[in-house]
Amino acid sequence: MRLLSQVNLNSLKIVESAARHGNFTRAGEEQFITASAVSQRVKSLEDQLRFKIFQRGGNAVSLTPEGETYVSRVREALERIVAASMEATGQSQEHVLKISVLPTFAARWLFPRLPLFQQRYPDIVMRVSTSYATHEFTTSEFDLEIRYGDGHFHGLQSDLLFREDLTPVCSRKLFHEVLGDKKLSKVIPDDLRHFTLLHSDTCTQNWQSWLGFAGASFVLSKAKSIYFDSCMMSYEAANSGMGFAVANRAYMASDIRAKRLVAPFAVHHPNTAGWYFVSSPKSLAARKVLLFKQWVMAEAALTQRQLDSETSGEAAMAV
């Protein structure tokens, strides 16, 4: 085994790219090498480290717990190298906005909207990191984070984007295969026992919480279950017709409006926790941070109004 001091910097960049895309092919396109070369670089680094960075499954890859921690630290180190190089050449970081976002929040809510921010503020360069880890602002390179919690983050400024609001969803095709022409308004929680329930290791209590709220906890012992290592995978499985996932409505609203998914239950389980814009008081003084905060808060408010309007419409139809 080669010494860890001989780890290749390009290999670290390739691993970071693969983690960000969740795909070796896209990482190869970004790094101008083949997917096979990406796989070889990753394998070589894993041999040096003596642990697996990625779980491989078809075209997609996901980080192992050890890989999540390692890539998070590699990403921070690479950003410091870039920052040091820019400082050394007299280039300013004033227009570079560095944010850390939860992976599912990023993919299901932020990324579809981010082009709007880029169009409005083309001078701001975005550097987006997706991670479940939280960072110490005094030592990290991030300007802000999107965090999940109760809003109490010691010593930090936090502003609520929207609260979690859970409801079960499944593909329209699967719904009709199992329940035929049954009207959505006639579906009751007990009907879930005829479906497979899709669980997530990162949202372990969601099904238990929703079914308890709906008065149907018994369904857990009657329905089949499949477990995934992330909420994102359970949502994708629901889209693919594998079963019902219980999901935050803000994440799945576009799929429901496009009729790819159905959300047949009027029971929406609100949660006291939610997603927050989090930053240090010092970073909020920066123009780039303030502009992003104003934009993302406005987008979140729009999302909440749309969800409230849809809930009101469902209630009116049920009367």
Side-chain angles (χ1 to χ4, degrees):
M1 184 186 75
R2 291 188 296 166
L3 295 174
L4 289 181
S5 61
Q6 297 176 335
V7 168
N8 187 285
L9 181 60
N10 282 334
S11 294
L12 297 181
K13 291 169 62 179
I14 290 167
V15 165
E16 190 281 329
S17 179
R20 181 159 28 85
H21 290 292
N23 184 287
F24 284 175
T25 299
R26 281 186 242 163
E29 291 171 353
E30 183 176 89
Q31 300 297 321
F32 302 103
I33 58 176
T34 65
S36 176
V38 171
S39 180
Q40 291 172 7
R41 287 293 192 104
V42 170
K43 178 64 167 57
S44 177
L45 186 55
E46 287 177 332
D47 289 344
Q48 285 184 278
L49 296 172
R50 292 184 175 178
F51 64 77
K52 292 291 184 183
I53 301 173
F54 294 101
Q55 294 281 3
R56 295 157 175 81
N59 292 327
V61 294
S62 60
L63 290 167
T64 64
E66 297 91 346
E68 181 76 44
T69 300
Y70 181 69
V71 169
S72 176
R73 292 175 178 173
V74 165
R75 186 172 286 134
E76 290 178 10
L78 291 174
E79 287 174 350
R80 287 193 178 98
I81 292 171
V82 171
S85 299
M86 293 185 74
E87 289 175 9
T89 56
Q91 299 180 59
S92 172
Q93 291 279 295
E94 181 180 350
H95 299 299
V96 180
L97 180 64
K98 291 163 284 189
I99 70 176
S100 177
V101 190
L102 293 163
T104 307
F105 181 94
R108 298 297 312 182
W109 190 85
L110 180 61
F111 287 170
R113 293 166 173 81
L114 205 53
L116 298 174
F117 179 80
Q118 293 176 303
Q119 291 168 15
R120 187 175 299 178
Y121 304 107
D123 62 308
I124 296 178
V125 178
M126 303 290 296
R127 293 188 63 82
V128 182
S129 171
T130 58
S131 173
Y132 291 107
T134 57
H135 301 85
E136 177 59 55
F137 279 98
T138 56
T139 57
S140 80
E141 296 296 317
F142 295 111
D143 297 303
L144 64 98
E145 292 183 359
I146 304 298
R147 294 186 184 179
Y148 176 82
D150 60 5
H152 296 105
F153 306 104
H154 181 68
L156 299 175
Q157 174 75 36
S158 66
D159 295 272
L160 178 67
L161 296 173
F162 44 78
R163 297 199 185 281
E164 188 169 45
D165 186 357
L166 299 174
T167 194
V169 295
C170 80
S171 75
R172 185 171 293 273
K173 181 174 181 290
L174 176 65
F175 178 85
H176 290 301
E177 284 177 355
V178 176
L179 296 181
D181 294 327
K182 189 169 187 175
K183 292 183 178 180
L184 293 181
S185 61
K186 300 297 183 181
V187 178
I188 59 174
D190 183 53
D191 290 325
L192 286 167
R193 61 192 172 90
H194 302 298
F195 294 85
T196 298
L197 303 186
L198 309 174
H199 300 260
S200 163
D201 292 342
T202 56
C203 307
T204 56
Q205 301 301 313
N206 279 2
W207 266 118
Q208 183 176 350
S209 180
W210 188 88
L211 288 167
F213 185 78
S217 295
F218 59 87
V219 169
L220 273 176
S221 61
K222 293 185 176 182
K224 295 180 180 179
S225 293
I226 298 178
Y227 295 84
F228 298 87
D229 62 0
S230 71
C231 290
M232 173 65 72
M233 290 298 101
S234 69
Y235 300 164
E236 292 303 317
N239 261 312
S240 298
M242 293 179 64
F244 260 96
V246 61
N248 181 49
R249 286 199 302 142
Y251 286 170
M252 314 307 289
S254 61
D255 289 311
I256 295 169
R257 293 185 195 115
K259 298 186 177 181
R260 290 186 290 271
L261 295 177
V262 295
F265 301 101
V267 180
H268 301 142
H269 181 15
N271 196 331
T272 56
W275 287 267
Y276 286 81
F277 176 101
V278 179
S279 62
S280 67
K282 180 180 178 181
S283 68
L284 270 177
R287 169 184 174 271
K288 59 187 179 182
V289 177
L290 183 59
L291 290 176
F292 185 81
K293 178 181 179 180
Q294 292 171 342
W295 172 81
V296 77
M297 295 294 292
E299 287 293 320
L302 176 60
T303 293
Q304 191 62 62
R305 288 196 298 272
Q306 291 172 333
L307 294 175
D308 292 343
S309 175
E310 289 165 0
T311 300
S312 299
E314 290 167 2
M317 290 176 62
V319 172

